[in-house]
Amino acid sequence: MSKPQVLVARAVFPEAVARLSEHFEVETNDSDELWPKAELIRRLQGKVGVFTTGSERIDAELLDACPQLRICANMAVGFNNFDVDAMTARGVLGTNAPDVLTETTADFGFALLMATARRITESELFLRAGQWTKWSFDMFAGAEVHGSTLGILGMGRIGQGIARRGAHGFGMKVVYHNRSRLSPELEADCKARYVAKDELLRTADHLVLVLPYTPANHHSIGADELAQMKPTATLVNIARGGIVDDAALAQALKERRIAAAGLDVFEGEPRVHPDLLSVPNVVLTPHIASATIATRRAMADLAVDNLIAFLTTGQPRTPVNPQVLGRMRGQ
Ligand code: 8YV
């Protein structure tokens, strides 16, 4: 009997493909091209599963054009590339890759906060440009990190990891805002105090965004929110592009209405708003918060586990729409 077919939509660790090949006939994308939708649909013909990253949009049009597809396994904790309602309506399962990247991503969030507050990029560019000719008392003087107030918008697992680093490692006062409040035990563990969003914006010395992208969260930080922040504050976005209004942020940075920003994600990435490229007080990284080899391997492994487990036993490890289990497409 021939094996079921799956597609791996982007280049990934060969070991991940090898594991899939034990169970499935696997088509890969060795050139790591970003396939346009029509090409992705063409490649998905006859496939029951697809290994996706955050870059492939799975929507009603694609699902209707790929009637054999039963599972989309994302190598990412975020799954805003999935139209979950369209998937659920058609009995197609989505899975994501939570937990395995939590601490690595929190490390990076903290690194970006430090780099932003202490003006690492700006000062390195100055040095590399041969502009360092003497010491001066306020050269690249930045914002204090230890003992300052850390604000966190979105207090899921990664937000909690950043809170712990700030509170326990740097003696920071932690305030947070989230759709729902943490349990008293988790608040105590993170030494975090729940506040309204306005208070968070007004009091944070360093504000870190870690909320998932949903249409309701679009431009959660725009001109009005930036206006409420302290002029000395820094803003860090490791969540998703679109949560911040990048044009409004570039303007605020240019006018020094906030001190600095650290951005790992962008609206319309990999394009970056041109004004962000020309302001000095911003640290820019290309969506690498989860990028350590060990973590990326764990994320790929979890996506592979989900494909194998679902397609062989019907029991995925980390479903995002478990309501489709039991009434699945093609059964
Ligand atoms: C991924 C991420 O690297 O997991 C997420 O949600 O943003 C990153 O860790 C990216 O989405 C590509 O898969």
PDB file of all heavy atoms in Angstrom, residues 53-55 75-79 97 101 105 239-240 265 287 289-290 296 299, ligand 1:
ATOM      1  N   THR A  53       5.349  26.938   8.204  1.00  0.00           N
ATOM      2  CA  THR A  53       5.968  27.873   9.146  1.00  0.00           C
ATOM      3  C   THR A  53       4.968  29.021   9.248  1.00  0.00           C
ATOM      4  O   THR A  53       3.868  28.920   8.717  1.00  0.00           O
ATOM      5  CB  THR A  53       7.318  28.366   8.599  1.00  0.00           C
ATOM      6  OG1 THR A  53       7.066  29.155   7.438  1.00  0.00           O
ATOM      7  CG2 THR A  53       8.223  27.187   8.229  1.00  0.00           C
ATOM      8  N   GLY A  54       5.353  30.109   9.874  1.00  0.00           N
ATOM      9  CA  GLY A  54       4.401  31.214   9.977  1.00  0.00           C
ATOM     10  C   GLY A  54       4.132  31.907   8.643  1.00  0.00           C
ATOM     11  O   GLY A  54       3.260  32.775   8.565  1.00  0.00           O
ATOM     12  N   SER A  55       4.822  31.509   7.583  1.00  0.00           N
ATOM     13  CA  SER A  55       4.759  32.282   6.330  1.00  0.00           C
ATOM     14  C   SER A  55       3.670  31.832   5.354  1.00  0.00           C
ATOM     15  O   SER A  55       3.384  32.545   4.397  1.00  0.00           O
ATOM     16  CB  SER A  55       6.101  32.208   5.596  1.00  0.00           C
ATOM     17  OG  SER A  55       7.162  32.494   6.459  1.00  0.00           O
ATOM     18  N   MET A  75       5.299  25.143  12.459  1.00  0.00           N
ATOM     19  CA  MET A  75       6.530  25.174  13.257  1.00  0.00           C
ATOM     20  C   MET A  75       6.637  26.573  13.885  1.00  0.00           C
ATOM     21  O   MET A  75       7.578  27.319  13.628  1.00  0.00           O
ATOM     22  CB  MET A  75       7.732  24.887  12.360  1.00  0.00           C
ATOM     23  CG  MET A  75       9.058  24.894  13.068  1.00  0.00           C
ATOM     24  SD  MET A  75      10.424  24.776  11.880  1.00  0.00           S
ATOM     25  CE  MET A  75      11.753  25.484  12.837  1.00  0.00           C
ATOM     26  N   ALA A  76       5.656  26.928  14.685  1.00  0.00           N
ATOM     27  CA  ALA A  76       5.601  28.245  15.324  1.00  0.00           C
ATOM     28  C   ALA A  76       4.534  28.162  16.410  1.00  0.00           C
ATOM     29  O   ALA A  76       3.560  27.414  16.260  1.00  0.00           O
ATOM     30  CB  ALA A  76       5.223  29.319  14.313  1.00  0.00           C
ATOM     31  N   VAL A  77       4.723  28.927  17.470  1.00  0.00           N
ATOM     32  CA  VAL A  77       3.661  28.973  18.484  1.00  0.00           C
ATOM     33  C   VAL A  77       2.503  29.828  17.977  1.00  0.00           C
ATOM     34  O   VAL A  77       1.329  29.502  18.194  1.00  0.00           O
ATOM     35  CB  VAL A  77       4.195  29.466  19.862  1.00  0.00           C
ATOM     36  CG1 VAL A  77       4.719  30.891  19.805  1.00  0.00           C
ATOM     37  CG2 VAL A  77       3.125  29.341  20.938  1.00  0.00           C
ATOM     38  N   GLY A  78       2.830  30.919  17.265  1.00  0.00           N
ATOM     39  CA  GLY A  78       1.775  31.770  16.706  1.00  0.00           C
ATOM     40  C   GLY A  78       1.164  31.080  15.498  1.00  0.00           C
ATOM     41  O   GLY A  78       1.852  30.362  14.775  1.00  0.00           O
ATOM     42  N   PHE A  79      -0.129  31.270  15.298  1.00  0.00           N
ATOM     43  CA  PHE A  79      -0.767  30.622  14.142  1.00  0.00           C
ATOM     44  C   PHE A  79      -1.725  31.583  13.448  1.00  0.00           C
ATOM     45  O   PHE A  79      -2.772  31.185  12.948  1.00  0.00           O
ATOM     46  CB  PHE A  79      -1.430  29.288  14.543  1.00  0.00           C
ATOM     47  CG  PHE A  79      -2.333  29.368  15.740  1.00  0.00           C
ATOM     48  CD1 PHE A  79      -3.682  29.628  15.585  1.00  0.00           C
ATOM     49  CD2 PHE A  79      -1.830  29.176  17.013  1.00  0.00           C
ATOM     50  CE1 PHE A  79      -4.523  29.699  16.681  1.00  0.00           C
ATOM     51  CE2 PHE A  79      -2.669  29.237  18.131  1.00  0.00           C
ATOM     52  CZ  PHE A  79      -4.011  29.503  17.962  1.00  0.00           C
ATOM     53  N   ALA A  97       3.331  25.062  17.815  1.00  0.00           N
ATOM     54  CA  ALA A  97       4.514  24.540  18.527  1.00  0.00           C
ATOM     55  C   ALA A  97       4.771  25.356  19.799  1.00  0.00           C
ATOM     56  O   ALA A  97       5.738  26.118  19.877  1.00  0.00           O
ATOM     57  CB  ALA A  97       5.723  24.561  17.604  1.00  0.00           C
ATOM     58  N   LEU A 101       9.595  26.756  22.847  1.00  0.00           N
ATOM     59  CA  LEU A 101      10.360  27.973  22.553  1.00  0.00           C
ATOM     60  C   LEU A 101      10.239  29.038  23.642  1.00  0.00           C
ATOM     61  O   LEU A 101      10.814  30.121  23.535  1.00  0.00           O
ATOM     62  CB  LEU A 101       9.942  28.565  21.186  1.00  0.00           C
ATOM     63  CG  LEU A 101       8.469  28.727  20.850  1.00  0.00           C
ATOM     64  CD1 LEU A 101       7.665  29.413  21.881  1.00  0.00           C
ATOM     65  CD2 LEU A 101       8.312  29.377  19.503  1.00  0.00           C
ATOM     66  N   THR A 105      12.700  32.322  23.734  1.00  0.00           N
ATOM     67  CA  THR A 105      12.089  33.562  23.248  1.00  0.00           C
ATOM     68  C   THR A 105      12.099  34.620  24.355  1.00  0.00           C
ATOM     69  O   THR A 105      12.328  35.808  24.081  1.00  0.00           O
ATOM     70  CB  THR A 105      10.669  33.266  22.732  1.00  0.00           C
ATOM     71  OG1 THR A 105      10.772  32.234  21.745  1.00  0.00           O
ATOM     72  CG2 THR A 105      10.023  34.479  22.103  1.00  0.00           C
ATOM     73  N   ALA A 239       6.325  40.113  19.468  1.00  0.00           N
ATOM     74  CA  ALA A 239       5.074  39.365  19.301  1.00  0.00           C
ATOM     75  C   ALA A 239       4.795  39.114  17.819  1.00  0.00           C
ATOM     76  O   ALA A 239       5.124  38.052  17.289  1.00  0.00           O
ATOM     77  CB  ALA A 239       3.943  40.120  19.968  1.00  0.00           C
ATOM     78  N   ARG A 240       4.197  40.058  17.162  1.00  0.00           N
ATOM     79  CA  ARG A 240       3.887  39.949  15.743  1.00  0.00           C
ATOM     80  C   ARG A 240       3.839  41.339  15.140  1.00  0.00           C
ATOM     81  O   ARG A 240       3.421  42.295  15.810  1.00  0.00           O
ATOM     82  CB  ARG A 240       2.494  39.322  15.532  1.00  0.00           C
ATOM     83  CG  ARG A 240       2.450  37.821  15.502  1.00  0.00           C
ATOM     84  CD  ARG A 240       3.129  37.243  14.259  1.00  0.00           C
ATOM     85  NE  ARG A 240       3.093  35.796  14.237  1.00  0.00           N
ATOM     86  CZ  ARG A 240       3.982  34.985  14.808  1.00  0.00           C
ATOM     87  NH1 ARG A 240       5.008  35.484  15.475  1.00  0.00           N
ATOM     88  NH2 ARG A 240       3.874  33.669  14.723  1.00  0.00           N
ATOM     89  N   VAL A 265       9.828  42.007  14.996  1.00  0.00           N
ATOM     90  CA  VAL A 265       8.720  41.692  14.076  1.00  0.00           C
ATOM     91  C   VAL A 265       8.162  42.989  13.510  1.00  0.00           C
ATOM     92  O   VAL A 265       8.201  44.033  14.169  1.00  0.00           O
ATOM     93  CB  VAL A 265       7.610  40.896  14.818  1.00  0.00           C
ATOM     94  CG1 VAL A 265       8.056  39.476  15.120  1.00  0.00           C
ATOM     95  CG2 VAL A 265       7.179  41.601  16.092  1.00  0.00           C
ATOM     96  N   HIS A 287      13.173  38.820  12.982  1.00  0.00           N
ATOM     97  CA  HIS A 287      12.283  37.762  13.507  1.00  0.00           C
ATOM     98  C   HIS A 287      13.082  36.515  13.922  1.00  0.00           C
ATOM     99  O   HIS A 287      12.889  35.427  13.368  1.00  0.00           O
ATOM    100  CB  HIS A 287      11.207  37.406  12.467  1.00  0.00           C
ATOM    101  CG  HIS A 287       9.986  36.767  13.075  1.00  0.00           C
ATOM    102  ND1 HIS A 287       8.717  36.944  12.597  1.00  0.00           N
ATOM    103  CD2 HIS A 287       9.850  35.941  14.141  1.00  0.00           C
ATOM    104  CE1 HIS A 287       7.860  36.258  13.317  1.00  0.00           C
ATOM    105  NE2 HIS A 287       8.529  35.637  14.274  1.00  0.00           N
ATOM    106  N   ALA A 289      13.590  35.670  17.428  1.00  0.00           N
ATOM    107  CA  ALA A 289      13.485  35.461  18.884  1.00  0.00           C
ATOM    108  C   ALA A 289      13.582  33.994  19.281  1.00  0.00           C
ATOM    109  O   ALA A 289      14.112  33.670  20.344  1.00  0.00           O
ATOM    110  CB  ALA A 289      12.196  36.078  19.414  1.00  0.00           C
ATOM    111  N   SER A 290      13.108  33.081  18.442  1.00  0.00           N
ATOM    112  CA  SER A 290      13.178  31.659  18.808  1.00  0.00           C
ATOM    113  C   SER A 290      14.397  30.966  18.191  1.00  0.00           C
ATOM    114  O   SER A 290      14.520  29.744  18.270  1.00  0.00           O
ATOM    115  CB  SER A 290      11.902  30.935  18.351  1.00  0.00           C
ATOM    116  OG  SER A 290      11.823  30.915  16.922  1.00  0.00           O
ATOM    117  N   ARG A 296      14.946  25.623  17.578  1.00  0.00           N
ATOM    118  CA  ARG A 296      14.357  25.401  16.259  1.00  0.00           C
ATOM    119  C   ARG A 296      14.213  23.898  15.977  1.00  0.00           C
ATOM    120  O   ARG A 296      13.240  23.468  15.360  1.00  0.00           O
ATOM    121  CB  ARG A 296      15.198  26.095  15.183  1.00  0.00           C
ATOM    122  CG  ARG A 296      15.036  27.625  15.205  1.00  0.00           C
ATOM    123  CD  ARG A 296      13.724  28.057  14.557  1.00  0.00           C
ATOM    124  NE  ARG A 296      13.371  29.427  14.808  1.00  0.00           N
ATOM    125  CZ  ARG A 296      13.788  30.472  14.087  1.00  0.00           C
ATOM    126  NH1 ARG A 296      14.621  30.311  13.083  1.00  0.00           N
ATOM    127  NH2 ARG A 296      13.370  31.682  14.394  1.00  0.00           N
ATOM    128  N   MET A 299      11.122  22.820  17.857  1.00  0.00           N
ATOM    129  CA  MET A 299       9.905  23.293  17.187  1.00  0.00           C
ATOM    130  C   MET A 299       9.587  22.409  15.976  1.00  0.00           C
ATOM    131  O   MET A 299       8.432  22.016  15.760  1.00  0.00           O
ATOM    132  CB  MET A 299      10.075  24.755  16.737  1.00  0.00           C
ATOM    133  CG  MET A 299      10.170  25.743  17.877  1.00  0.00           C
ATOM    134  SD  MET A 299      10.854  27.342  17.354  1.00  0.00           S
ATOM    135  CE  MET A 299       9.496  27.998  16.393  1.00  0.00           C
TER     136      MET A 299
HETATM  137  C1  8YV B   1       8.918  31.432  14.317  1.00  0.00           C
HETATM  138  C2  8YV B   1       7.393  32.728  15.904  1.00  0.00           C
HETATM  139  O1  8YV B   1      10.265  31.330  14.093  1.00  0.00           O
HETATM  140  O2  8YV B   1       6.762  30.723  16.951  1.00  0.00           O
HETATM  141  C3  8YV B   1       6.399  31.820  16.520  1.00  0.00           C
HETATM  142  O3  8YV B   1       5.219  32.196  16.601  1.00  0.00           O
HETATM  143  O4  8YV B   1       7.125  33.852  15.681  1.00  0.00           O
HETATM  144  C4  8YV B   1       8.774  32.245  15.574  1.00  0.00           C
HETATM  145  O5  8YV B   1       9.240  31.478  16.640  1.00  0.00           O
HETATM  146  C5  8YV B   1       8.268  31.981  13.090  1.00  0.00           C
HETATM  147  O6  8YV B   1       6.902  32.150  13.233  1.00  0.00           O
HETATM  148  C6  8YV B   1       8.515  31.082  11.885  1.00  0.00           C
HETATM  149  O7  8YV B   1       7.959  29.827  12.060  1.00  0.00           O
END
